[in-house]
Amino acid sequence: MRATAVAPANIAFIKYWGRKDAALRIPSNASLSMNLSSCTTTTTVEFSRTIEKDSVSLGFTPLEEKRILGHIDRIRKLTGTTDRVTVATKNSFPKSAGVASSASGFAALTVAAASALGLRLSQKELTRLARLGSGSACRSIPDGFVKWEGEFAYSLYPPDYWDLRDILVIVENSAKNVSSSAGHTAAHTSPYFEKRVQEVPTRILRLESALRTKNFQNLGEVMEEDCLDMHHVMQTQNPPLYYWNDKTKELMEAVKAWRKSGLPVYFTIDAGPNVHLICEGKFEGDVLKAVKDVQNVQEVIVNKPARGAHII
Ligand code: PMV
C-alpha cells in the first residue's frame, strides 16, 4: 500500500485564469503547456491500518496540509478504505522559488496515492482527479506538450518533439502573497476577463499551428501576448493582483532588447515575479550569457520538455 511518483511542474504557453466551475475547477478557457525537466516533485504515499494518524512531511503550512489531506480523502473515497496515510514529498527546486509547485505536487500526489491504493485509472481519469486538487496539475500528468480543456488534459506531442528550453530566472524567492486559487475566484471581476476568454480559442489555434510547423517566432508571439493579457486581467480584477516587481519588468524589457539584437527568445510569467525565458535549445548558451549581465538574479533553472507524472 505504498507508492512513489515523480511529476514535473509545467509552464503554460496559453494560460489558465478563471473558472467556469470553482468547486470542480473547470477552467473558463483551454490552456496549453510544456512539462519542465528540472522542476519536479517526488512524493511517496503509504496507506496502512497500523498508521495512527494522517500525516504530511514537514514544510507545509496548515492550509496546504489541509488541501493535501483533502485530496487524499477524495482518492480514499474511490476505494472506500479507512486506512490512515503518510505523505512524504520533496521538490527538486526550492519551494520558495515561487515555481508552481502545486502543479507538480498534486500530480505526483494523485499518481502515487492512486497506485498505492491499487486504483486502475486511465491517464485521462488521472488528469481529471489531479485537476480537482489543483487545476494546472492535470497538465503535469501527460507527456511533453499538453492541452487542457474542460475536464481532461492530454498530450499533443512527446517531450522529444521539439527541443525547446524554459530558462527560469528566479528574481525573488519569497513565497507569493496571493494564492492563485483566490485569484481564479475573482478573475471575472476584471472588465477584461470576458474579452480574454473570447480571444483564447484563436490563440490556441495559433499556438497549435506554431507547434505543428515548429515556427518558433509564432509560438513566442502568441505566448507573450497571452501572458500580458492574463496579467492585464489579474491587475484589473477586484482586488487587483500585481505579481511583477522591478526585476520582472527589467527582464521583460531585456528580452525585447535581446530580440532586437537577433536573439530569438520570448518571456512568460505565472502568478509570481519570476520570468520564464523560452527559446530553442540551440540558443540556450546565448540566452544564459545574456542573463549573466542582469544584476541580482537569485537563481537560473534550465528546463527541457519532460515526460509527465509516473511511478518510480
Ligand atoms: O492551478 P493553479 O491554481 O495554480 O493556477 C495556475 C495559474 C497560472 O499559473 C497563473 C497559469 C497556468 O495556466 O499555469
Side-chain angles (χ1 to χ4, degrees), residues 221-289:
E221 281 176 6
V222 67
M223 178 189 77
E224 255 185 33
E225 183 181 310
D226 188 62
C227 163
L228 291 172
D229 199 11
M230 177 188 74
H231 281 272
H232 188 212
V233 171
M234 290 167 154
Q235 289 161 14
T236 51
Q237 61 187 65
N238 186 12
L241 291 177
Y242 196 87
Y243 286 109
W244 304 341
N245 65 21
D246 288 349
K247 274 282 142 197
T248 316
K249 287 183 275 183
E250 186 185 325
L251 271 154
M252 288 158 78
E253 286 305 316
V255 167
K256 270 194 252 167
W258 296 336
R259 260 205 313 269
K260 248 195 187 142
S261 69
L263 183 58
V265 55
Y266 291 80
F267 65 78
T268 187
I269 302 158
D270 278 345
N274 300 318
V275 181
H276 297 252
L277 303 176
I278 311 295
C279 67
E280 291 184 279
K282 57 188 173 201
F283 293 110
E284 175 187 325
D286 295 322
V287 173
L288 286 173
K289 220 154 85 204

Side-chain angles (χ1 to χ4, degrees), residues 12 15-17 19 102 134-136 139 180-181 184 230 234 270-271:
K15 311 286 190 189
Y16 146 55
W17 196 247
R19 304 170 178 137
S102 74
S134 166
S136 55
R139 295 191 312 239
S180 48
S181 275
H184 287 291
M230 177 188 74
M234 290 167 154
D270 278 345

Side-chain angles (χ1 to χ4, degrees), residues 150-173:
E151 285 190 72
F152 309 106
Y154 52 92
S155 178
L156 293 176
Y157 297 103
D160 63 0
Y161 172 71
W162 195 356
D163 187 32
L164 294 183
R165 294 288 180 278
D166 173 2
I167 298 177
L168 170 55
V169 184
I170 309 289
V171 298
E172 188 181 301
N173 50 24

